[in-house]
Each structure stands twice: as C-alpha cells, then as structure tokens.
Amino acid sequence: MSKKPPLPEDAQSPHPVEEASHDHHEGSEALQAVKDIAEARKRWKPDAKQIGMGAAIGIGSAAIVAGLLYWRGGKK
C-alpha cells in the first residue's frame, strides 16, 4: 500500500508524477555530440610556437600603433 491517500479522478494531475527513465545507450545523439566536442578540443589545442607567434604579433602591432600615435609628422 502507498502512503498517499486516494484522490478523485478530477483532482489528479494529467502529467506523470514520476520522471520517465532516460536511455543512455552508445548510439545516443547527445552522447555522440559530447564526444565530438571533446575530440575537437584535443585537436585544436595551441602549442608553444603558436602562442609565441601570437604574442609577438600582438606586441608588434601595439608598437606600430604607439609609433603612429606619437609621430609628430615633421613639425619643427
């Protein structure tokens, strides 16, 4: 016996009280998407050379912008 008192038909919810079981088998679309994202992260991890190149380009472009901002244009 359950501990809940019986309810009339009109007072019962049309939605199920308990959550349905979820299927997480190997061919699941969501599981496959998560695996694809994890593999993509492993493939596109930058190495030290790429990080160094990015830093050099950033510092160089900042130096060029600073040079253009402080250039007086031939004024005496």
Side-chain angles (χ1 to χ4, degrees):
M1 292 187 81
S2 68
K3 295 181 180 182
K4 294 181 181 178
L7 293 173
E9 289 290 324
D10 294 340
Q12 292 181 359
S13 173
H15 305 289
V17 177
E18 295 177 9
E19 187 174 344
S21 63
H22 301 284
D23 293 335
H24 295 291
H25 51 80
E26 194 63 33
S28 174
E29 187 176 329
L31 186 61
Q32 186 63 35
V34 170
K35 286 181 180 179
D36 291 343
I37 291 171
E39 288 177 14
R41 283 186 182 165
K42 288 178 184 176
R43 284 181 293 181
W44 293 104
K45 189 176 282 190
D47 59 355
K49 183 179 178 182
Q50 290 175 334
I51 292 173
M53 291 274 296
I57 291 170
I59 292 170
S61 62
I64 291 171
V65 169
L68 291 173
L69 286 174
Y70 291 110
W71 179 56
R72 294 189 172 227
K75 294 182 183 178
K76 291 186 178 183

